[in-house]
Amino acid sequence: MTLPFAIIAGLTVGSAIAAMSLRNLVHCALSLVVTFAGLAALFLQLNAQFVGFAQVLVYVGAVAILIVFAILLTRSAEPGPPASMTTGAGWGIGIAVAAFLAMAGAVTSSVVMQRTAPPPSDLTVRAIGHKLMTDYVLPLEVIGLLLTAAMIGAVIIAMQERKSKP
Amino acid sequence: MAEQLDQLFVHLKHWLVGHLPDAWQPLASILLSITPVLMVFPGLFALTTVIERKGLGRIQNRRGPNRVGIPLTNIRLAGFGQFIADGIKALIKEDVVPRAADKVVHFLAPIALVVPVLLAYSVLPFGRNMVPLDLDAGVLFFFAVGSATELCLFMAGWSSHNKYSLLGAMRAIAQMISYELPLILSGVAVIMVTGTLSLPKIVEAQNVYTGTIAHWHVFTPWGLAGFILFFISSLAEANRSPFDMPEAESEIIAGYFVEYSGFKFALFFLGEYLGLFAVAGFGITLFLGGWTAPFSWLTWIPSWAWFMGKLVTMIAIYIWIRGTVPRLRADQLMNFAWKFMLPMALLNIVVTGLWHFTELAGWNIVVRWLVCAGILIVPYLLLGRAFKAKVGQREYRYAS
Amino acid sequence: MTPLHHYLLLSALLFCIGLVGALTRRNAILVLIGIELMLNAANLNFIAFWRYSPNPEALHGVMFVIFAIAIAAAEAAVGLALIIAIYRHYKTTNLDQVDSMKG
């Protein structure tokens, strides 16, 4: 384990725990932003520049702002009752721990433990663009359609409900 | 000689790094790339605050600051010592934090604002071979870093627990998101033509001369339209007049940083101006040829001088616009972004595609120019007319 | 260079933190945040496997993550719109109280 990885990983996990456990929802959203930024840094460390910057642009620039706006529009930022856990909190944590143990066991016992990294390849944005326009052109079009549908859907759902009686 | 002068800073850096042991060289090289950026642009900010006040003063038929000179002497320097006085004032002022404020977020917001803004400078090419970080996805990096500042405005506005600052932050975020779209889309046109996201390569693509005139993107119909769209959006992104609604002093007292004082306020001020310089430098790189000269007989002037000259000219234009154009209302501002800027930016992309795939030969150049310009000008006139019809005569309800 | 399984373990840990949030918190927005975290953990796996694959030129992992980011953005937009619509109706975002099917 290298030092930069340890620092970034610690920051990411710490902020993720904070995002899931803090009382104030705005603090949760802000720590989530740190998690997203940490993940982007991990992507950069893995040589995926384009994905790392896209992660910052989409998650920090758009999704985090959306979440923050939703928090303010639903007045969730005001301190609520202290017990904000559901009744089955123990079950939830138990399931999650079990899931983690299963995944960690699978990872540590698998052949990927021996795999070493090939020398960093020179991934250019041009190569990604070329792939998107040739092999992946159909998924790209479908994503475009999906985003348009999602935008229209979101606007219609969140639009003011029209009163039936004047 | 001209060559030597052009590469002066590059040679200086190599010479300095060459003295160090091999193990230290990468670190020293990084430090020597970062330090000048941290010196030059805050310095430019300090000068700009004085020039802006003097320029605005002249526009409003008064003199502006002209007293403060070098401290403890009688030298006045035409008021250019003003920024020292301002800096000292900001440093020794009391730092007031509201009792209801969220202390941690309130403290972090101005710092979180300045960091991404400074990061944005790392991909700008300031001259030939003078780019701190030559990223293959430089344009994307710039936009990604720029979008991170919106969240800092929210942090500042929300943590103050003040209605006005929250309102100001909300307006600022709505405005920045709306104008980010035309900003990015006008940049997309350049990426389509040059086929790269690396800023030094975009400059290289413009460093070609036909006859004596350079191939700056602004000299093409799509480039001119793109530059105008970029320029207007950059005004809005930097919260400059006429789009300074988020911090309108006379309407919502000062927007998201009402509750900031002393040095934290100065940091917001610094962040805003550094953001303005960064986006201006980005526009210069994309459309105005970066560090290249407009005419081939002017190439003896060093490349970094061209970049700084263009940057200072852009700053002067920003000051001029601030002094002469009135502020837009919040709804007008949104309508303008979504109903005018966005359609025009999308149309500009279509025109760019047309321009890119038509051939260059003989009289076709003129035909291509006219067709592309026509496709842009006709919708511009129609959209403008539609807007004018909607706005109508202004009624002064209380004045008459 | 960090070995591959460190990335995989980190991603598993992030996924489970997201899972805990999605299963135990009451606020609908926090549940959505948990789901976003889980999606991001999966993205980290894709990128790590892409980097350590013998054939990185194929770009499968990168492509998958690019599409996943786009879908996650759409999901967040629709999800938050639903939460706002629910809030307008019930005046709460607490999932335990949103339990009647009749408006």
Side-chain angles (χ1 to χ4, degrees), chain A residues 20 32 63 67, chain C residues 21-22 27-38 75-80 83:
Chain A
M20 291 285 89
L32 185 73
V63 173
I67 290 175
Chain C
N27 194 305
I29 294 171
L30 270 171
V31 173
L32 197 82
I33 290 178
I35 293 169
E36 288 289 335
L37 253 181
M38 284 149 74
E75 181 231 313
V78 176
L80 291 170
I83 291 171

Side-chain angles (χ1 to χ4, degrees), chain B residues 218 223-234 287 341:
Chain B
V218 77
L224 186 61
F227 179 66
I228 294 169
L229 289 169
F230 186 93
F231 186 80
I232 297 172
S233 321
S234 74
F287 297 101
M341 299 284 285

